[in-house]
Amino acid sequence: MLRELTINDFTSVLGEGKATPGGGAAAALSASLAAALTSMVFNLTIDKKAAKDYPESVVTSMKEAREATDRFRNRYLKLMVDDAESFDGLMAAFSLPKETEEEKAQRKSSIDSAKERVLEIPYQLVKESFEMYDALKIATEYGNKNAISDAGVAAILIHSAIEGAALNVFINLAGSEVNEENISLKAQTDDYVEKSKSFKEDIVATVIDKIYGRQ
Amino acid sequence: MLRELTINDFTSVLGEGKATPGGGAAAALSASLAAALTSMVFNLTIDKKAAKDYPESVVTSMKEAREATDRFRNRYLKLMVDDAESFDGLMAAFSLPKETEEEKAQRKSSIDSAKERVLEIPYQLVKESFEMYDALKIATEYGNKNAISDAGVAAILIHSAIEGAALNVFINLAGSEVNEENISLKAQTDDYVEKSKSFKEDIVATVIDKIYGRQ
């Protein structure tokens, strides 16, 4: 299973000439790295000298945010596996027999539901990655200053996950029916990417200001 | 060693309250994922139906680019390990004894050379990640259309690596002497980030055009 591959083997398998794991899985891993880095920032802050002058309310919000980022780290890895599996499912559906009318109908129905799943996973990744920003804003504002670049890298990687997963939404939509649901999915995905870009740029600008002692 | 950790364990270790592995290592991993995805695009194209109408010169340039991305995948993982080790080296230098004058001098010299190394690694990552764009342009132009989103995700992830490593250059420079060399390092890093942003945006725009059949 993908989660149990070593870093070395994962990148090696990713490079092979098979469709999975592909960009969707890489985007999900990027999201998981972002969540982990944000947990790290909280772990270097909570119960440490960096937090000694913080009011209890700030410490509580950091602890709650850390609970979320710990959960997200694992959830995005789940989506990484789902992404690869859903695409394998689509390939399997395409190779179903299509001799008889019954087989043809069965194959079409399998392809349709596999396509739905292939489209659903990257959209989930877009949507759920976006949830990282609450924690990221807290980490950037209150996180240990020595780890401020880590909060910045986390923002960069979560935006990558969103932007990368969005490309997977688009390529799957391009092969799908143009209906109201799909038009709305496209608009919502565009909207997440745009908002994410602005949030990420704000966080990176704040990180750079903090690095140079301007904040 | 980091490269031998499973994906699961790597993200878990990344989330712990230790300074390493941190954002620098995550940025290097992002670069390695980008290189692997680009290799994948070439592997799904070269010697496949997707390349059957290409002139020999295009196939040759794809093969050469694949040699580069295979090499980069491994090289960026090496930088991931180096990033964590160099920072551990700096921490070790800080904890050297400082009782006698001799010890103080030894400690200072160890800290200085460790700081240099900590600054050098993310700068190398910025510089060497930038080398991915030649291969990425070829993959975007000639890669299998079914894998065009993978080329897009690769561009997104290599830009993340560059932007993320740049934050590490900046945070390390902020703790270093302001001299000509460091001022030039800052300017060069800014320059790489800016150029990378523009290259990445061009590639993503091309990918989206190709997804919607506009190119």
Side-chain angles (χ1 to χ4, degrees):
Chain A
M1 167 154 140
L2 287 181
R3 296 173 66 143
E4 297 306 321
L5 287 182
T6 66
I7 294 289
N8 221 13
D9 290 345
F10 182 90
T11 62
S12 175
V13 167
L14 188 63
E16 288 172 7
K18 288 176 215 148
T20 66
L29 178 52
S30 174
S32 185
L33 295 174
L37 280 174
T38 314
S39 289
M40 176 180 115
V41 174
F42 291 129
N43 284 325
L44 288 166
T45 311
I46 297 166
D47 298 329
K48 296 279 183 335
K49 208 166 63 183
K52 73 173 169 33
D53 295 330
Y54 286 151
E56 197 48 39
S57 61
V58 167
V59 175
T60 303
S61 73
M62 284 197 291
K63 284 182 179 170
E64 284 168 3
R66 179 176 59 182
E67 267 177 44
T69 54
D70 285 349
R71 197 173 60 243
F72 289 150
R73 176 188 75 74
N74 191 47
R75 170 65 184 154
Y76 302 146
L77 290 185
K78 171 86 169 58
L79 286 172
M80 173 185 83
V81 174
D82 288 350
D83 187 88
E85 285 180 357
S86 68
F87 200 83
D88 290 340
L90 180 59
M91 293 298 101
F94 273 119
S95 55
L96 285 174
K98 45 180 179 176
E99 297 297 311
T100 67
E101 286 309 309
E102 203 188 335
E103 281 176 353
K104 277 183 198 163
Q106 177 56 48
R107 180 174 175 270
K108 191 188 174 309
S109 138
S110 295
I111 290 173
D112 287 349
S113 61
K115 271 193 174 171
E116 219 168 276
R117 181 102 180 116
V118 161
L119 182 57
E120 184 197 337
I121 307 291
Y123 181 70
Q124 276 304 118
L125 182 61
V126 167
K127 206 171 133 181
E128 295 189 33
S129 293
F130 193 79
E131 291 177 34
M132 270 289 300
Y133 281 108
D134 287 340
L136 271 169
K137 286 172 186 173
I138 296 169
T140 309
E141 185 161 1
Y142 299 110
N144 186 327
K145 286 218 166 51
N146 294 325
I148 193 70
S149 56
D150 301 298
V153 176
I156 288 165
L157 290 175
I158 205 71
H159 178 58
S160 276
I162 290 171
E163 214 183 354
L167 291 183
N168 279 41
V169 172
F170 300 156
I171 201 167
N172 293 317
L173 274 178
S176 304
E177 207 181 321
V178 181
N179 56 29
E180 255 182 66
E181 201 187 335
N182 285 343
I183 291 170
S184 149
L185 204 65
K186 167 77 170 73
Q188 284 173 54
T189 305
D190 281 337
D191 196 43
Y192 276 121
V193 172
E194 201 179 319
K195 277 188 191 143
S196 169
K197 187 175 181 224
S198 142
F199 284 176
K200 174 238 161 183
E201 282 174 359
D202 282 354
I203 290 172
V204 170
T206 303
V207 165
I208 291 177
D209 278 348
K210 288 198 172 198
I211 285 175
Y212 294 118
R214 290 191 292 251
Q215 260 196 47
Chain B
M1 168 155 140
L2 287 182
R3 297 173 66 144
E4 296 307 321
L5 288 182
T6 65
I7 294 290
N8 220 15
D9 290 347
F10 183 90
T11 63
S12 174
V13 166
L14 189 63
E16 287 172 7
K18 288 176 214 148
T20 65
L29 178 52
S30 173
S32 184
L33 295 174
L37 279 174
T38 314
S39 289
M40 175 180 116
V41 175
F42 291 129
N43 284 325
L44 288 167
T45 311
I46 298 167
D47 297 329
K48 296 278 184 330
K49 206 167 62 182
K52 73 173 170 33
D53 294 330
Y54 286 150
E56 197 47 40
S57 61
V58 166
V59 176
T60 302
S61 74
M62 284 198 290
K63 283 183 180 170
E64 283 168 4
R66 179 175 61 181
E67 266 178 44
T69 54
D70 285 349
R71 196 173 61 242
F72 288 149
R73 176 189 73 76
N74 191 46
R75 170 64 183 155
Y76 302 146
L77 290 185
K78 172 84 169 58
L79 286 171
M80 172 186 84
V81 174
D82 288 351
D83 187 88
E85 284 181 358
S86 69
F87 200 83
D88 291 340
L90 180 60
M91 293 298 101
F94 273 119
S95 54
L96 286 173
K98 46 180 178 177
E99 296 297 312
T100 67
E101 286 309 308
E102 204 188 332
E103 282 175 352
K104 277 182 197 164
Q106 177 56 50
R107 180 174 176 271
K108 189 186 174 307
S109 137
S110 295
I111 291 173
D112 286 349
S113 61
K115 271 192 174 170
E116 221 167 276
R117 181 102 179 116
V118 162
L119 182 56
E120 184 197 337
I121 307 290
Y123 181 69
Q124 278 302 120
L125 182 60
V126 167
K127 206 171 132 182
E128 295 188 33
S129 294
F130 193 79
E131 292 176 33
M132 270 289 299
Y133 281 108
D134 287 341
L136 271 169
K137 287 172 187 173
I138 295 168
T140 309
E141 187 162 358
Y142 301 109
N144 186 326
K145 286 219 166 51
N146 294 325
I148 193 69
S149 57
D150 302 296
V153 177
I156 289 166
L157 290 174
I158 205 71
H159 179 59
S160 276
I162 290 172
E163 213 182 355
L167 291 183
N168 279 42
V169 171
F170 300 155
I171 201 167
N172 293 317
L173 274 178
S176 303
E177 208 180 319
V178 180
N179 56 31
E180 256 182 64
E181 200 186 335
N182 285 343
I183 291 171
S184 148
L185 204 64
K186 167 76 168 75
Q188 284 173 53
T189 305
D190 281 337
D191 197 40
Y192 276 120
V193 172
E194 202 178 319
K195 277 188 192 145
S196 168
K197 188 176 180 220
S198 141
F199 283 176
K200 173 238 161 183
E201 283 174 358
D202 283 353
I203 290 172
V204 171
T206 303
V207 165
I208 292 176
D209 278 348
K210 289 197 171 200
I211 285 176
Y212 292 118
R214 289 190 293 252
Q215 259 195 46

